[in-house]
Amino acid sequence: MAELAKRDGLSLEELLSAGKSRRKRRAPNTKYQHPEDASLKWSGRGKQPAWVRECLERGMRLEDLKA
């Protein structure tokens, strides 16, 4: 393998680490936030959290929860 890597102008370390590069996922942006507890946030993706459902049941609208 070392000879093949050298033939192509690469070091053995470069050849072995080529497949290890991983993209880091960015956390989705906060779209909605609890009106009283700022630590409760939701991106608007996936299933609605319980706190969102509770706010909607109390008559609030999603627009009222915009961050």
Side-chain angles (χ1 to χ4, degrees):
M1 285 182 63
E3 290 176 21
L4 291 173
K6 189 174 184 178
R7 184 192 73 194
D8 291 335
L10 300 169
S11 70
L12 188 57
E13 291 79 24
E14 289 173 319
L15 183 66
L16 294 175
S17 68
K20 293 184 180 180
S21 163
R22 289 190 175 163
R23 282 180 50 183
K24 291 185 179 181
R25 290 182 119 182
R26 229 177 63 195
N29 293 335
T30 299
K31 205 170 187 181
Y32 304 101
Q33 185 171 328
H34 193 281
E36 291 130 21
D37 186 354
S39 69
L40 297 175
K41 299 175 183 180
W42 180 47
S43 68
R45 301 161 106 187
K47 189 176 176 181
Q48 287 180 340
W51 67 265
V52 172
R53 287 191 306 273
E54 289 169 6
C55 287
L56 295 175
E57 288 170 2
R58 286 188 283 163
M60 296 180 89
R61 300 172 304 158
L62 276 179
E63 292 79 31
D64 300 331
L65 303 175
K66 290 258 183 185

